[in-house]
Amino acid sequence: MAPYAAVAMKSRGGILTGNFWPWELSLSQSRCTWPACKPIRHSSAKAGEDKRGHLHLGPNQRIFFLNSKDQKPLIRSQLYSNNPDIFPFSLGWTCRLPFIKADEKIAKYLERAHSSIINRALPDTLPIKVLKRVPRVMEGGSFVKFSHDPGMDVKKIETSLKKFLEENPVKQVFRLKRRVKASLVEGTPWIEDLFRFPSSRIKVEFLPTAAGGEAAELSQEELFSLFRPFGRLVNVASQPPDVKILPRYAYLNFRAVRHAVMAKNCLHGITVPQARGGGMNGTVLRLGYEQVIKTRWIRGWLASHPRTVIPLIVFLVATIVTVAVLDPVRVLVIRAKITQPFAFPDNKTFQWLLSQVSRAGDSLGYGRYRHKTDNAGFKALEDDRKESIAKIHKWLEDSSADSLFVIQGPRGSRKKEFAIDQALSNKKYVLNIDCRPVQEARGDTKTITAAAKQVGYWPILLWMNKIINLIDITAQGMIHTKTDFSETLDSQLDNIFENTSEALRKIALYGHKQSNEDADKYLQAHPECQPVVVIDNFLHRSKDSTMFYHKISDWAAEITRDNIAHVILLTDDVSKSFGKTFPDCVFQQVSLEDCSPGIAKRVVIDLLKEDKSELRDDKGELDGCIEKLGGRITDLEDLTRRIKTGETPRQAVDTIIQHSASEILKLYIFDRSSDWSAKDAWFLVKALAAKDEIGYNDVLFSEVFQSAGEVSLQALEEAGLLTITRSNGRPHGIKPGRPVYRHAFGRLTDDHVLTAKLDLATLDELAQMESQSIDKYEAELQRVIGLPKEAAAGLAPRIIWLGDRLQECQAKLERYHSESRGLKKTLQRIH
């Protein structure tokens, strides 16, 4: 049997990034021309034979390693480059792709194209027989196993191969300046298929030849003489003496990655004898790649100063994206919402087409289903409010009126319709902002979305805010400080109103191009060009949260002061004072009251004319019905709708009163609100059922309100149960929140069972309060009596006062119990 040896072939590769090269993968087709050589079968064996990580060597078997060699010295740019420069592309990254075996497939596809390089690298006179080839895709090379005759010196075979490659250089296809070189594998190579990428730095560990033995640490001179034949070394670093890590180690830095790959594959597992510094029993070298950390001054400074760099990068990116891209788009969208460039209400052609379609619908019988306008039937109301409309028109045309206009009125008085459809019917650009959906939104995200929707602010990009918050949290964990670039509700509202101001300013300056005046002077001299901002439901549920109202108040004052737009505030509460909200502004005000009986009757008749319902025989009942219903516009509309459905005016009013009574029970008495109690609401219902108006102080000093006081009254006023009248700015009286509530209160008090139950609950609560007062007075009296006689001598007046209070509380308690017994008997009699 012929002796055997092994050859390892390798190309120079950019192993640090996992690159390998096409010619290196064609070893399976290398041809041996030795007469004793027979064709062999290709085997990838990327994890060694039997996938155990090693190649088994029999008698006369050794390993060679082939690599590329520079024909000329490397220039400085190549010296510190990790790229192999053999081919203009690298394929190492394909090894990371999932679900494919890139190393095997690439070797299979490229072996034919580059087999000639391998054939030319092995001379015909070389007395070897190739047994197996093991491609190393991750390292960009291949192992070749071969045999030789017994007694033949392997070193001579290696010398012959190197001499042949020097005299007959085998150049690569894509790099003509690269030549193939070969080295003999003296150790035991570890053939692994891990995702470990080669590097120009090698870690050498010194291990004993047997378990429990001692290993000698080779000096830098000995390491240099051992590794220098494989390539130029840049540095040799031994383990510091004070480091007690075992096994001992050293670092070798090669000039090129291919040199490190060659040394690692040829010397891994070699046993260094005593003659070469390996100690008495020898030392085994275990080699592995170490990633090289390249120093870059700029990148190093940026990485070492994250507290400065991270906020700066986030700030620059956010500023560029927001200012250069998003804000102009947002201003454009807000302007489009105000100007409505795609609406055609004044286009004659559009109006003619609309009239023709309406006539066609009427001729086909669809006219009765056509929607009527909201202002139809309110001609009488408009005539009644002409004076207020004229006041608003004068304010809009006055160039010196840098003030806000407030329209106050109870709920259901059609303030919004009065402002937009009547007072501002001649204004082309009007922005309506409703505070109700913004104030009722829950959470910062919904609040921002609702506020943006009111002004047309888009895009919002709330997902971007979440990403910035995540970056802020990550930066806080890494650098222990906040970047403070996350958008809060406060900053988002500021951004929304700033973009809205910019859009309003551009609209107000539409005619400025034809004038030579300064922009600010133009705005002050032409108030008729300014758009109008209508803020509806202002101060709605202001107790829940005040942030939005602070922001919109400051914004309204700013655009008014800068002559950008006129601002009209609509509020339900006629008792609100805006001095605290706008401390530096001047107000002009219009109050909308309920209609008088005559105007209310005209409104109902005008609404009935739409369907010719005014021809009914029961129209004479309207006077008495409107007197019960009052002049609230929403109630008049409800009455009209019910009459149109076939009910008589008396039936409609009775139904409205009954629904109002049920609404009062549900919203004010049975609702467990924290701002008022059921006894507070029921006391007012009984009092207002007997009188149209009751004194404010009479209620405030009653037994029921002795604990709640003004807080409950203000809460009930905001909820709509009552209206507090004022005289000279102070509370004077209390009236029902809606005129129809007066009769609804009477409907509730006429129910004897309901009255008895609620009175009984009120008496129980009052009795409990008196019992608590008695306990408090008795405890204090006992403490006073328990004092020494000398100390208690001067407390006689206090003792007398406590006794009087106890008598009063006891008398009230007995009265409450007596009334409770009477109510219980009443409930027992009524079934």
Side-chain angles (χ1 to χ4, degrees), residues 435-451 462 489 540-546 548-549 674-675:
C435 299
R436 183 188 297 271
V438 181
Q439 196 66 7
E440 292 180 352
R442 290 293 176 263
D444 293 351
T445 301
K446 293 184 179 179
T447 301
I448 294 171
T449 304
L462 294 175
L489 175 61
H540 169 73
R541 297 179 63 174
S542 57
K543 290 186 177 181
D544 296 346
S545 176
T546 59
F548 176 72
Y549 288 122
S674 59
D675 297 330

Side-chain angles (χ1 to χ4, degrees), residues 29-82:
Q29 295 295 326
S30 63
R31 178 176 52 85
C32 178
T33 59
W34 185 33
C37 181
K38 296 182 179 180
I40 62 173
R41 181 170 57 90
H42 167 75
S43 175
S44 65
K46 63 179 181 179
E49 294 178 345
D50 299 331
K51 296 185 179 180
R52 296 182 181 273
H54 297 90
L55 289 175
H56 303 294
L57 299 179
N60 301 318
Q61 293 181 359
R62 296 294 299 275
I63 301 175
F64 269 142
F65 193 80
L66 273 70
N67 196 2
S68 62
K69 178 181 179 181
D70 290 319
Q71 190 174 4
K72 296 182 180 180
L74 291 175
I75 60 176
R76 184 177 180 85
S77 61
Q78 296 173 328
L79 180 61
Y80 299 100
S81 175
N82 286 325

Side-chain angles (χ1 to χ4, degrees), residues 28 267 284 400 428 466 476 481 548 558 581 621 791 793 828:
S28 59
L267 295 183
V284 178
S400 62
K428 189 175 182 179
K466 295 180 180 179
Q476 184 179 5
T481 184
F548 176 72
E558 180 182 356
T581 309
E621 301 177 2
Q828 291 176 354

Side-chain angles (χ1 to χ4, degrees), residues 201-205 247 249-252 286-290:
R201 191 181 194 190
I202 291 180
K203 181 179 182 181
V204 182
E205 295 180 344
Y249 61 87
Y251 288 112
L252 302 176
R286 182 169 64 189
L287 309 182
Y289 298 115
E290 284 287 327

Side-chain angles (χ1 to χ4, degrees), residues 295-339:
T295 57
R296 296 291 186 269
W297 184 85
I298 297 177
R299 186 174 65 185
W301 186 90
L302 295 176
S304 60
H305 296 79
R307 297 190 179 186
T308 304
V309 174
I310 293 178
L312 183 61
I313 292 176
V314 175
F315 173 76
L316 291 177
V317 173
T319 302
I320 293 173
V321 173
T322 302
V323 176
V325 179
L326 297 180
D327 282 352
V329 175
R330 290 164 176 166
V331 172
L332 181 63
V333 175
I334 295 173
R335 288 173 55 189
K337 177 180 175 63
I338 300 173
T339 58

Side-chain angles (χ1 to χ4, degrees), residues 93 142 156 176 326 387 414 420 502 591 661 723 753 829:
W93 59 271
S142 175
K156 293 183 178 180
L176 299 180
L326 297 180
E387 183 177 351
R414 291 179 62 88
I420 297 178
E502 182 65 21
S591 296
T723 299
V753 175
R829 291 195 305 268

Side-chain angles (χ1 to χ4, degrees), residues 27 44 130 176 223 285 322 343 406 448 469-470 513 537 541 575 650 793:
L27 299 178
S44 65
V130 178
L176 299 180
L223 290 172
L285 302 184
T322 302
V406 181
I448 294 171
N469 289 335
L470 183 61
K513 296 181 180 180
N537 290 312
R541 297 179 63 174
S575 62
R650 291 180 181 177

Side-chain angles (χ1 to χ4, degrees), residues 337-534:
K337 177 180 175 63
I338 300 173
T339 58
Q340 297 182 358
F342 302 105
F344 307 99
D346 300 329
N347 188 278
K348 295 183 179 180
T349 304
F350 177 78
Q351 293 294 337
W352 179 81
L353 291 174
L354 185 62
S355 62
Q356 297 300 316
V357 172
S358 300
R359 291 177 58 186
D362 293 340
S363 62
L364 296 175
Y366 296 107
R368 60 181 180 274
Y369 301 110
R370 190 168 59 249
H371 177 67
K372 303 298 188 300
T373 60
D374 293 336
N375 294 327
F378 289 100
K379 181 64 176 176
L381 186 63
E382 184 177 353
D383 295 340
D384 186 52
R385 296 175 174 176
K386 280 186 177 181
E387 183 177 351
S388 300
I389 295 174
K391 185 176 181 180
I392 295 177
H393 287 170
K394 182 180 179 181
W395 170 72
L396 293 174
E397 296 173 359
D398 189 359
S399 60
S400 62
D402 54 344
S403 59
L404 286 85
F405 205 96
V406 181
I407 300 178
Q408 295 178 319
R411 298 176 185 176
S413 56
R414 291 179 62 88
K415 297 181 295 298
K416 180 179 178 181
E417 291 78 4
F418 166 76
I420 297 178
D421 298 334
Q422 298 176 15
L424 303 177
S425 59
N426 59 340
K427 295 296 294 185
K428 189 175 182 179
Y429 304 125
V430 178
L431 175 62
N432 180 34
I433 301 176
D434 191 357
C435 299
R436 183 188 297 271
V438 181
Q439 196 66 7
E440 292 180 352
R442 290 293 176 263
D444 293 351
T445 301
K446 293 184 179 179
T447 301
I448 294 171
T449 304
K453 184 179 180 180
Q454 294 302 315
V455 300
Y457 180 89
W458 183 90
I460 308 176
L461 300 181
L462 294 175
W463 58 270
M464 190 173 181
N465 190 30
K466 295 180 180 179
I467 294 177
I468 295 177
N469 289 335
L470 183 61
I471 294 175
D472 197 1
I473 295 173
T474 305
Q476 184 179 5
M478 294 175 59
I479 63 179
H480 306 290
T481 184
K482 285 189 175 181
T483 60
D484 291 331
F485 287 116
S486 57
E487 293 286 345
T488 61
L489 175 61
D490 186 277
S491 60
Q492 288 276 20
L493 291 177
D494 287 339
N495 195 21
I496 290 174
F497 288 127
E498 286 177 5
N499 284 273
T500 306
S501 299
E502 182 65 21
L504 291 171
R505 181 179 179 84
K506 290 184 177 181
I507 293 174
L509 293 174
Y510 274 169
H512 179 247
K513 296 181 180 180
Q514 303 175 359
S515 175
N516 296 326
E517 296 180 83
D518 181 69
D520 295 334
K521 293 182 180 180
Y522 176 84
L523 292 175
Q524 186 175 5
H526 297 82
E528 70 280 357
C529 298
Q530 300 175 15
V532 181
V533 179
V534 179

